[in-house]
Amino acid sequence: MASALDFLRTSQDATGGWGYFPGHYPTTEATAAVILALRGNSEASDLIESGLQWLRATQHADGGWGYVADDEESGWQTAWAVLVFSQMKILDDVYRKGVDWLIDVKPLGNRGDDFSKYDEMIDPNDAIVYSWPWYPGELGWVEPTSLAILALENETGDQVVATRIEQAKKYIQQRRCPGGGWNVGNPVMFEQALPARAPQTAVALIAMLASGSNPKDENDIAAMRRDMLDDVSPLALAWGSLALKLLGYDHADMITMLSSLQQENGSWTDNNYHTAIALMAERGTI
């Protein structure tokens, strides 16, 4: 059986990035996730360096990243790229420009530019203005908000960043599903409670933990575990296992289930992104 590293090595694009599947056009999310999954692996140093070069080459002049190299609009993928440089402690101009882009992103409904004065400018119940959208000017959602919090982890010494992160965490808390956990962002629709999903719950919990909060609510953990067992997809099991590990919960059963889904070619679902998240889960860190 091939290893995950073997799979990722053979599926890396000649430009240095990774698509979601071998032979597909490289994307920012997949490339960033693979770099994070391989960091610390001495056998993958050449792959990591090529991936970093791809990220450097595809950053936009405004500091953000698009979905793919020739996507002219910067969006939520920027958080993934910034997270790479942050986690690898490469705090250079590329990182700084990405951070500035994230800080400046405004979701739909924002009524001011100075996030340090949010409390003076907004209705405290207007949660959407605390969040990050998929693309600037759109509604905010749980996943891009959580990813942005993670990406800005090294910047909390800046009061403006710290204030925005604290407000973003309030948004996440307000979007919790009635039974615990999170989905994409709508806890209730047509007066019906919606169920939580493991990937979104996991990334929300990881973001809150990384930003200094204690997110250990048993309802959230139970909701995440239920969806992991109902879904049993590599993505649900991997994200959920990673959150359980970081929060100090037993996750051996989930890791066993995840490992059983690895294919003969070393991948999970022939998908570079899924494989990367699975590797992070097995390692226990982003």
Side-chain angles (χ1 to χ4, degrees), residues 92-170:
D92 57 8
D93 288 344
V94 172
Y95 165 79
R96 178 54 51 194
K97 288 173 62 179
V99 165
D100 290 344
W101 188 90
L102 281 175
I103 294 171
D104 288 341
V105 169
K106 310 297 191 298
L108 185 68
N110 179 264
R111 292 188 291 275
D113 293 324
D114 187 350
F115 288 104
S116 67
K117 299 184 183 303
Y118 250 13
D119 291 341
E120 301 172 14
M121 297 188 303
I122 65 169
D123 176 351
N125 296 315
D126 193 0
I128 199 67
V129 301
Y130 306 146
S131 61
W132 269 270
W134 294 108
Y135 287 95
E138 298 179 355
L139 291 172
W141 298 93
V142 169
E143 188 170 339
T145 298
S146 301
L147 289 170
I149 291 172
L150 281 170
L152 294 171
E153 181 181 354
N154 287 327
E155 298 300 312
T156 53
D158 183 318
Q159 187 56 50
V160 172
V161 177
T163 299
R164 182 162 190 188
I165 287 177
E166 287 304 308
Q167 300 288 16
K169 288 192 292 184
K170 290 181 183 178

Side-chain angles (χ1 to χ4, degrees), residues 16-17 43 67 72 79 147 182 189 197 226 279:
E43 297 181 18
Y67 175 67
E72 296 180 355
L147 289 170
W182 289 265
M189 183 174 288
R197 300 306 308 272
R226 281 195 300 272
L279 286 178

Side-chain angles (χ1 to χ4, degrees), residues 33 37 44 62 71 78 115 130 182 186 196 199 241 257 269 272 284:
D62 65 6
D71 179 5
T78 301
F115 288 104
Y130 306 146
W182 289 265
N186 289 328
S241 294
M257 293 176 64
T269 68
N272 291 313

